[in-house]
């Protein structure tokens, strides 16, 4: 069965998470992804914890790729890169624009080498605005985009989301931008194609999708989606743990309130009016919080499952490794096979039937790096 992106060659000059994660998704879809690293290697190779294949951060972002080590600060390294770009469909990098220009990765330079290429740059800030030259990492973008400040809207302090959110969201934007350009080229559009993915703008759009709220219609309107910002919207304690419960539709709220014997709430005039109910969301969430400690997590999951009310136990990181659903679908894999006691990595989340095997081989080992004179 042929991979979906067979015969698409991607040159990825990416480091840490943003570039490598996007490149891995394209590689999972069947593209030939050639990762160009500095001679000392991607710094994620050395990130703790590390195993035989390098740092876990590197292993989980670089499967299915080939690797080429080049010193792009040297004439020989840049010449080798140019030779590689002549036969490439895509160049993707996640470095600052001025640094990319110095290393021969700027759009004009690459387009002169290959007029059909899709050039994708994932950068910190869009190049038309005043922030264009600022350095950017995930924490900086979480702060600038409003993500870190969400806690202040619910009475808390600013806080980073404890995952590399900005890099991964921007990587997904980069993938769809690259794929759109490839489709346009396949439909006869002339290249080269320039795709710019600013992390700041990507995260701002991601956040404001729901939180633009009334400002959608009036620039002076209030921002913030009330249900999401309710201080009572949180995991709830049960008799023996924690659970997430989200009655959302009218039917689900009625089912939950019926389960806990609160028909008195259902009888309220505001409850039946979908325009008034959101104003009482804090009251409803407080009722949920007061009720759930009466039973165990398993008991609630069984009871609410019978009534088709969305709920889930709150998993800890380690719980995912033994999750029965993930076990059944073979989610954790290593070099093309289900891992049993060896290296473990998450499978590709998007599965296209008829798209070939998304996991063909593990991340390229450090020992296989090539010199700057090889292209």
């Amino acid at each position: 069965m042929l991979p979906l992106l067979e015969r698409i060659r991607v040159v990825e000059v990416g480091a840490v998470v943003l570039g490598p994660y996007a490149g891995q998704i394209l590689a999972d879809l069947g593209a030939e992804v050639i990762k160009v690293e500095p001679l000392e290697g991607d710094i994620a190779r050395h990130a703790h914890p590390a195993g035989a294949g390098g740092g876990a951060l590197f292993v989980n972002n670089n499967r299915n790729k080939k690797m080429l080590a080049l010193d792009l600060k040297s004439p020989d390294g840049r010449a080798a890169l140019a030779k590689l770009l002549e036969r490439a469909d895509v160049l993707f990098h996640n470095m600052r624009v001025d640094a990319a220009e110095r290393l021969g990765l700027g759009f004009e330079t690459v387009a002169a080498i290959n007029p059909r290429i899709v050039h994708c740059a994932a950068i910190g800030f869009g190049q038309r605005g005043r922030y264009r030259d600022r350095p950017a990492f995930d924490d900086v973008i979480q702060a600038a985009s409003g993500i870190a400040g969400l806690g202040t809207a619910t009475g808390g302090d600013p806080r980073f989301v404890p995952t590399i959110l900005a890099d991964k969201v921007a990587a997904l934007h980069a993938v769809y931008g690259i794929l759109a350009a490839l489709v346009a080229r396949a439909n006869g559009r002339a290249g080269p194609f320039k795709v710019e993915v600013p992390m700041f703008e990507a995260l701002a759009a991601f956040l404001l999708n729901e939180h633009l709220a009334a400002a959608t219609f009036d620039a002076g309107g209030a921002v913030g989606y009330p249900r999401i910002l309710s201080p009572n919207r949180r995991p709830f304690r049960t008799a023996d743990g924690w659970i997430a419960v989200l009655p959302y539709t009218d039917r689900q709220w009625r089912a939950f309130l019926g389960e806990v014997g609160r028909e008195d709430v259902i009888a309220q005039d505001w409850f039946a009016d979908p325009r008034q109910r959101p104003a009482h969301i804090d009251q409803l969430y407080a009722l949920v919080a007061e009720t759930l400690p009466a039973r165990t997590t398993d008991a609630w999951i069984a009871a609410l499952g019978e009534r088709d009310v969305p709920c889930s136990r709150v998993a800890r990181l380690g719980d995912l490794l033994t999750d029965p659903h993930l076990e059944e679908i073979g989610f954790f894999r290593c070099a093309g096979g289900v891992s049993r006691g060896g290296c473990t990595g998450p499978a590709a989340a998007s599965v296209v039937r008829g798209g070939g095997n998304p996991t063909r081989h593990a991340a390229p080992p450090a020992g296989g790096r090539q010199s700057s004179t090889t292209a």
Side-chain angles (χ1 to χ4, degrees):
M1 195 173 295
L2 297 178
L4 295 172
L5 294 183
E6 188 188 32
R7 292 190 287 275
I8 295 295
R9 172 177 281 192
V10 178
V11 176
E12 174 212 306
V13 188
V16 193
V17 172
L18 201 169
Y21 184 50
Q24 178 171 273
I25 293 170
L26 295 171
D28 288 345
L29 292 171
E32 178 190 18
V33 177
I34 302 171
K35 179 182 177 68
V36 175
E37 296 182 82
L39 298 182
E40 65 273 16
D42 184 338
I43 60 173
R45 283 189 180 273
H46 315 294
H48 180 79
L57 193 63
F58 181 85
V59 169
N60 287 326
N61 286 286
N62 288 284
R63 65 170 172 255
N64 291 334
K65 299 179 186 178
K66 299 178 179 177
M67 194 280 303
L68 181 64
L70 296 175
D71 177 8
L72 295 181
K73 296 179 180 179
S74 72
D76 284 349
R78 288 193 296 275
L81 175 68
K83 191 176 298 184
L84 193 62
L85 293 175
E86 289 175 0
R87 297 176 287 121
D89 297 286
V90 178
L91 168 70
F92 177 50
H93 74 77
N94 67 305
M95 62 181 65
R96 294 169 72 174
V97 172
D98 56 349
E101 295 282 356
R102 290 195 301 270
L103 298 177
L105 296 169
F107 174 73
E108 300 295 339
T109 300
V110 173
I113 295 170
N114 183 347
R116 295 181 66 254
I117 204 163
V118 174
H119 181 284
C120 182
I123 53 183
F125 301 90
Q127 294 301 288
R128 293 175 296 170
R130 65 180 63 193
Y131 301 161
R132 59 183 173 271
D133 295 326
R134 290 185 179 182
F137 289 97
D138 195 272
D139 291 1
V140 172
I141 298 300
Q142 285 201 37
S145 67
I147 295 286
L150 281 173
T152 63
T154 57
D157 294 327
R159 185 176 181 180
F160 297 125
V161 179
T163 185
I164 306 175
L165 182 72
D167 282 52
K168 289 183 282 189
V169 169
L172 296 174
H173 280 267
V175 168
Y176 82 65
I178 289 168
L179 294 178
L182 289 172
V183 170
R185 193 184 71 177
N187 287 335
R189 292 274 294 276
F193 299 87
K194 184 177 183 179
V195 180
E196 181 180 289
V197 183
M199 297 168 69
F200 174 54
E201 286 91 320
L203 263 290
F206 182 84
L207 178 65
L208 292 175
N209 177 278
E210 77 275 20
H211 284 303
L212 194 58
T216 301
F217 311 105
D218 175 3
V223 294
Y225 183 28
R227 185 186 73 79
I228 299 297
L229 295 179
S230 168
N232 290 318
R233 175 186 176 260
R234 62 185 190 275
F236 301 109
R237 282 192 179 275
T238 65
D240 63 349
W242 296 86
I243 191 171
V245 178
L246 181 56
Y248 190 75
T249 66
D250 181 78
R251 182 193 61 77
Q252 290 165 354
W253 272 115
R254 289 177 184 275
F256 177 82
L257 294 170
E259 176 65 30
V260 300
R262 293 302 303 266
E263 287 80 2
D264 59 308
V265 177
I266 298 174
Q268 298 295 315
D269 291 340
W270 57 261
F271 182 84
D273 187 341
R275 293 167 299 181
Q276 293 188 51
R277 191 187 303 161
H280 295 263
I281 194 65
D282 282 342
Q283 176 184 342
L284 288 169
Y285 279 154
L287 184 153
V288 176
E290 294 166 5
T291 305
L292 292 178
R295 307 182 199 176
T296 66
T297 300
D298 285 342
W300 280 118
I301 288 176
L304 297 177
E306 285 291 323
R307 290 179 175 265
D308 202 29
V309 175
C311 63
S312 174
R313 71 179 64 252
V314 177
R316 296 165 297 181
L317 287 173
D319 295 335
L320 296 176
L321 299 179
T322 56
D323 182 278
H325 175 86
L326 297 180
E327 282 277 345
E328 287 169 4
I329 66 171
F331 184 74
F332 295 105
R333 297 177 178 273
C334 180
V338 177
S339 175
R340 293 292 182 216
C343 64
T344 300
S350 296
V351 178
V352 181
R353 302 302 175 192
N357 179 13
T359 307
R360 299 182 302 282
H361 59 80
R369 285 188 274 133
Q370 296 166 287
S371 75
S372 61
T373 59
T374 306

